[in-house]
Amino acid sequence: MKIVGDKGYVEGELIAKLSEKGYGELEDGKLVLSPEEIVYLISKGAVQSEESVPELMKRFQEKDPDFLTKYIVYKDLRDRGYCVKTGFKYGSHFRVYPRGGRPGTTHAVWLVHCIPEFKKLDFSEIARAVRLAQNVRKKMIFAVVDKENDITYYKIDRVVP
């Protein structure tokens, strides 16, 4: 795997194996991995890199101060068997597919936004995220990561009388 900036590029036989499991996005005959996918796959031994996991973690955190919080949630969801993709176009960190599902076979069920426990959110931010999730037929989950890196997941729905 070649890492350029905050993207990992996979070529050859690994493309089919990784994309079948819901990793990356195909672009110009290469599989492009997100920072979370890069660190996760290297730590699992699925791909090789010249840089170590600690070096990559440091680099990605310098570029994105929320990287560690997002990675902790990404890793937890992947370890639980979910396919996790970026939720950028939905205004959240991730979109999550049910176990066994992936893009092209099913639709994402949840949008997940990752928050360190010390961060304050305005109610309007929460309401906006929940409304957007419902508009695209998904459930909104807030993943709160505490200082011990434990995660509490909160599902918030909008109730219409």
Side-chain angles (χ1 to χ4, degrees):
M1 175 178 55
K2 181 179 179 183
I3 301 172
V4 179
D6 64 348
K7 294 184 180 190
Y9 296 91
V10 177
E11 298 181 271
E13 299 170 9
L14 268 180
I15 291 176
K17 182 180 174 184
L18 294 176
S19 64
E20 181 181 298
K21 295 181 179 179
Y23 292 103
E25 302 290 333
L26 286 171
E27 284 181 22
D28 299 324
K30 297 177 185 173
L31 189 66
V32 182
L33 303 174
S34 71
E36 293 83 10
E37 290 172 319
I38 293 167
V39 173
Y40 185 78
L41 290 169
I42 291 171
S43 69
K44 295 291 184 184
V47 296
Q48 304 294 315
S49 170
E50 293 178 7
E51 293 178 82
S52 69
V53 168
E55 290 170 333
L56 288 167
M57 294 286 284
K58 182 180 179 192
R59 176 160 54 133
F60 294 147
Q61 280 182 279
E62 286 171 357
K63 208 166 195 184
D64 177 4
D66 294 329
F67 176 76
L68 181 59
T69 302
K70 293 189 306 189
Y71 177 71
I72 290 165
V73 173
Y74 177 90
K75 180 182 181 314
D76 182 64
L77 291 168
R78 269 293 183 174
D79 286 349
R80 291 171 185 253
Y82 296 104
C83 177
V84 183
K85 305 300 279 181
T86 181
F88 181 73
K89 76 178 187 179
Y90 298 107
S92 63
H93 291 124
F94 302 117
R95 65 188 196 275
V96 180
Y97 292 79
R99 286 185 182 102
R102 60 179 163 55
T105 63
T106 72
H107 292 284
V109 178
W110 304 279
L111 295 180
V112 176
H113 197 73
C114 311
I115 306 163
E117 73 175 339
F118 59 82
K119 185 175 182 179
K120 293 181 182 180
L121 289 180
D122 290 336
F123 182 74
S124 62
E125 290 178 75
I126 295 169
R128 189 173 18 255
V130 170
R131 196 173 319 115
L132 177 63
Q134 285 189 331
N135 285 343
V136 294
R137 296 187 180 116
K138 299 184 184 356
K139 305 281 188 214
M140 188 69 221
I141 306 284
F142 289 91
V144 179
V145 180
D146 67 19
K147 62 185 173 190
E148 289 87 24
N149 293 338
D150 291 326
I151 307 164
T152 304
Y153 293 97
Y154 295 94
K155 181 179 94 170
I156 301 179
D157 285 328
R158 187 173 124 209
V159 179
V160 180

